[in-house]
Amino acid sequence: MGPGLFSEIGKTAKDLLTRDYSYDQKFTVSTLSDSGVALSSTAVKKGGLSTGDVAAQYKYKNTIIDVKVDTESNILTTLTFLEIMPATKAIASFKLPNYNSGKIEMQYFHDHATVTTAVGLNQSPTVDVTATVGSPTFAFGAEGGYDTSAGALTKYNAGISLTNPDYKASIILSDKGDTITASYVHHLDALKRTSGVAEVCRKFSTNENTITVGGSYAVDPLTSVKYRLNNHGKLAALMQHELKLKSFLTLSGEFDTKALDKAPRFGLSLALKP
């Protein structure tokens, strides 16, 4: 019931404008074994290149183990420890064969504040810290990163959010103060299946403004459509249909209204779960 993590500021608008949009061919199958291990396999075809991965998740008491192996022989392992202390979560991750990719993160949740600290597990680690204060309706947060090898800040961002059952608004200052993004989401029904969103982004170093509007609409209980259009003329839309519980077929498309001679992009995603 607290203010949430810093990463959640502006997340609703970002998800409405970008989540589930894909211009590749993607196929995912998930299943759950009798021993409680959740298995999933994903295959993606992008142009003439095909990639894929196999992932497994196992939950034991307050511990979650995730392992993912991709076609490039990378092995990503994530260990999540819930409630190792009251209101605290710990996440450890590492990727092989990159032995310097290890990272451990601590998250602390309070009724009026959340704090996270992430440290790289190498000789010259990067330290990332976020803090958010407020309530479920209003929150202010900041994020900073420090490179111990260079002795310099790698990032510093800040944001505020206002949340209501009918709408969400946020302002985020990122890229070391070079970019400011304001977004607003308005929900038109209690289940939040029909919503409108607007986002304005300004990059000070280039004096570039990007204005994006979009939304989602529930055609029926199993089918929804999403769309977005920005001031650069990029129009995108998708249709998602729930074939059965937690199994989705998604069709996406995007074309440039200012360059109709360019071929539009299309994508197909099929996710099947038991």
Side-chain angles (χ1 to χ4, degrees), residues 79-117:
L79 305 176
T80 303
F81 304 95
L82 308 174
E83 297 290 338
I84 58 173
M85 292 184 292
T88 303
K89 178 192 292 186
I91 303 172
S93 63
F94 55 92
K95 187 176 183 178
L96 300 175
N98 184 3
Y99 297 97
N100 292 321
S101 63
K103 183 175 71 172
I104 186 168
E105 178 178 352
M106 296 291 295
Q107 299 179 352
Y108 173 72
F109 301 87
H110 186 269
D111 289 343
H112 300 290
T114 61
V115 179
T116 71
T117 302

Side-chain angles (χ1 to χ4, degrees), residues 7 17 28 33 55 72 79 91 96 123 133 146 174 191 245 264:
S7 59
L17 293 173
T28 302
S33 68
E72 296 181 355
L79 305 176
I91 303 172
L96 300 175
Q123 293 182 348
V133 296
Y146 182 76
S174 57
L191 296 178
L245 185 63

Side-chain angles (χ1 to χ4, degrees), residues 119-164:
V119 181
L121 301 178
N122 51 61
Q123 293 182 348
S124 302
T126 298
V127 180
D128 295 324
V129 178
T130 74
T132 309
V133 296
S135 66
T137 57
F138 176 79
F140 170 79
E143 176 184 40
Y146 182 76
D147 187 343
T148 58
S149 62
L153 290 173
T154 58
K155 60 182 176 182
Y156 42 87
N157 308 316
I160 60 174
S161 67
L162 181 63
T163 302
N164 183 279

Side-chain angles (χ1 to χ4, degrees), residues 193 220-224 240-243 248:
R193 288 178 57 85
D220 57 48
L222 299 178
T223 307
S224 62
Q240 187 173 77
H241 180 71
E242 189 171 8
L243 303 172
F248 296 92

Side-chain angles (χ1 to χ4, degrees), residues 43-61:
V44 180
K45 184 176 181 181
K46 185 174 183 179
L49 180 64
S50 297
T51 60
D53 62 64
V54 177
Q57 182 183 86
Y58 179 67
K59 297 180 181 180
Y60 178 74
K61 295 184 179 180

